[in-house]
Amino acid sequence: MIIDCHGHYTTAPPQLNAFRDGQIAALKGGASPSLAAISDDEIRASLEGAQLKFQRERGTDLTIFSPRASGMGHHIGDSAVSVAWTRACNDLIHRAVGLYPDNFVGVCQLPQSPGAPLEAVVAELERCVTQLGFIGCNLNPDPSGGHWTAPPLTDKFWYPVYEKMAELDVPAMVHVSASCNPAFHATGAHYINADTTAFMQFIQADLFKDFPSLRFIIPHGGGAVPYHWGRYRGLAQDMKRPPLTALLNNVFFDTCVYHQPGIDLLSEVIPVDNILFASEMVGAVRGIDPTTGFHYDDTKRYVEALPLSAADKQKIYEGNARRIFPRLDAQLKAKGK
Ligand SMILES: [Zn+2]
């Protein structure tokens, strides 16, 4: 079985964005919008020509599916705006999963808001996991959208979310959203910065002593981390911190790296038990690489080309995801998979 641990509903029916546009307009005065009805057929049409088509063409089975990350926009409006938007996005994921339960499983957006306490975030995580069957969440380390006003992920500020994650036994993907700082291109700079920043934060503090079972997936191949593994090893050593291997019970990396040399490096540096297959298809990079003739985000081709045993590839494709998302494993076992 091939599980893609990183997919977003980037092709949602236009009613969703119209609702968001209405929210943004309401910030300047006017009534709060309501989400126009979306039919099951509209949801099917939005997926059949996109994520489902690529699943079939590329031979992947199941996508761990969350709302469009750049659309989370935690910096827009206040906590109440974020809650209404987040619930709409998560409910639509729930409907997509309901229509295609063998192709998708849900991961939730969280209603974060700069400076806001985390009660609403904890409540939405619990709703999504216990009522909608979701198996994890996307946690934004920078809800300001590129201005980095939140404390580091290791700060006690975040502990209410971690307590709920530990209680529910769900992991988080560390995932920022759009950048409202023109210095940072969203997917080209802000995303990769955040991946790298989160890892350095984990090096600097003892978060996993307080939460030994907490699990984070750092997407996009871990940003600059695998490439600069020697730098991080040396920094940890100079700072009298534990060796990086101490983080590997809690920190994992996906394969959203869009060329073969990058995947080769990832698999040489990061233990195979810490790599999860992912493509983030129909996401940041949608074109075809003229040097290969295949989509940049067709990451299965790169993983296939790795000089790993079938058993190791099975870990990357399936085993690690089932271990890190125990609720997914339970759902699959309940289906006899
Ligand atoms: Zn993503």
Side-chain angles (χ1 to χ4, degrees):
M1 186 172 188
I2 297 185
I3 299 168
D4 182 341
C5 81
H6 187 172
H8 303 292
Y9 197 178
T10 51
T11 57
Q15 293 93 319
L16 186 67
N17 274 343
F19 173 68
R20 184 58 159 171
D21 290 343
Q23 274 198 319
I24 292 167
L27 292 173
K28 297 171 188 147
S32 294
S34 54
L35 178 63
I38 299 173
S39 70
D40 286 351
D41 279 346
E42 287 175 300
I43 295 173
R44 289 190 190 99
S46 73
L47 294 166
E48 284 288 347
Q51 286 85 0
L52 290 168
K53 169 174 168 279
F54 286 123
Q55 278 187 356
R56 292 177 191 123
E57 285 179 7
R58 299 177 185 181
T60 64
D61 297 302
L62 175 71
T63 300
I64 296 178
F65 207 44
S66 60
R68 188 168 63 90
S70 61
M72 295 190 296
H74 295 122
H75 57 281
I76 295 171
D78 60 10
S79 180
V81 169
S82 189
V83 167
W85 171 235
T86 298
R87 287 181 68 107
C89 291
N90 288 334
D91 287 347
L92 200 58
I93 292 292
H94 179 55
R95 288 185 63 195
V97 171
L99 292 171
Y100 297 98
D102 292 330
N103 299 89
F104 299 109
V105 63
V107 151
C108 61
Q109 171 179 330
L110 296 171
Q112 297 174 245
S113 188
L118 294 172
E119 281 85 353
V121 170
V122 170
E124 180 65 1
L125 174 59
E126 179 153 45
R127 181 184 82 95
C128 288
V129 173
T130 63
Q131 296 176 34
L132 307 186
F134 286 22
I135 60 164
C137 59
N138 291 335
L139 182 67
N140 184 349
D142 173 31
S144 75
H147 294 282
W148 290 93
T149 55
L153 287 172
T154 49
D155 191 275
K156 288 196 162 54
F157 166 79
W158 300 97
Y159 277 26
V161 182
Y162 301 157
E163 284 160 7
K164 186 55 69 177
M165 284 169 58
E167 177 195 319
L168 298 170
D169 202 12
V170 295
M173 180 171 278
V174 177
H175 208 311
V176 287
S177 185
S179 166
C180 60
N181 180 339
F184 299 130
H185 183 272
T187 54
H190 186 40
Y191 279 29
I192 308 301
N193 293 348
D195 304 335
T196 311
T197 297
F199 188 76
M200 189 66 215
Q201 292 174 354
F202 295 146
I203 289 175
Q204 288 176 266
D206 290 316
L207 175 62
F208 302 118
K209 281 189 181 149
D210 287 348
F211 295 96
S213 70
L214 206 58
R215 300 177 301 283
F216 290 102
I217 299 156
I218 303 188
H220 321 113
V225 170
Y227 194 68
H228 285 288
W229 195 249
R231 171 176 292 253
Y232 294 110
R233 282 183 57 224
L235 283 168
Q237 186 175 314
D238 288 352
M239 297 163 70
K240 312 288 186 226
R241 299 294 306 161
L244 301 192
T245 47
L247 295 174
L248 294 176
N249 289 326
N250 307 91
V251 180
F252 303 87
F253 300 84
D254 81 7
T255 65
C256 291
V257 177
Y258 294 158
H259 66 155
Q260 188 68 49
I263 294 283
D264 292 347
L265 175 87
L266 177 73
S267 82
E268 284 171 26
V269 174
I270 303 299
V272 72
D273 287 334
N274 291 74
I275 301 173
L276 281 73
F277 174 71
S279 71
E280 206 175 16
M281 63 182 174
V282 204
V285 180
R286 302 189 186 188
I288 289 173
D289 181 346
T291 68
T292 65
F294 296 97
H295 287 88
Y296 290 97
D297 66 6
D298 187 357
T299 54
K300 180 162 165 274
R301 304 182 60 83
Y302 314 133
V303 175
E304 284 298 306
L306 290 174
L308 295 176
S309 68
D312 280 350
K313 284 183 187 169
Q314 192 274 342
K315 287 181 175 178
I316 293 173
Y317 283 138
E318 177 184 359
N320 294 339
R322 293 178 79 136
R323 188 175 89 250
I324 291 150
F325 292 90
R327 286 175 178 266
L328 170 62
D329 187 51
Q331 288 183 17
L332 290 173
K333 280 181 176 148
K335 291 180 183 177
K337 292 183 182 174

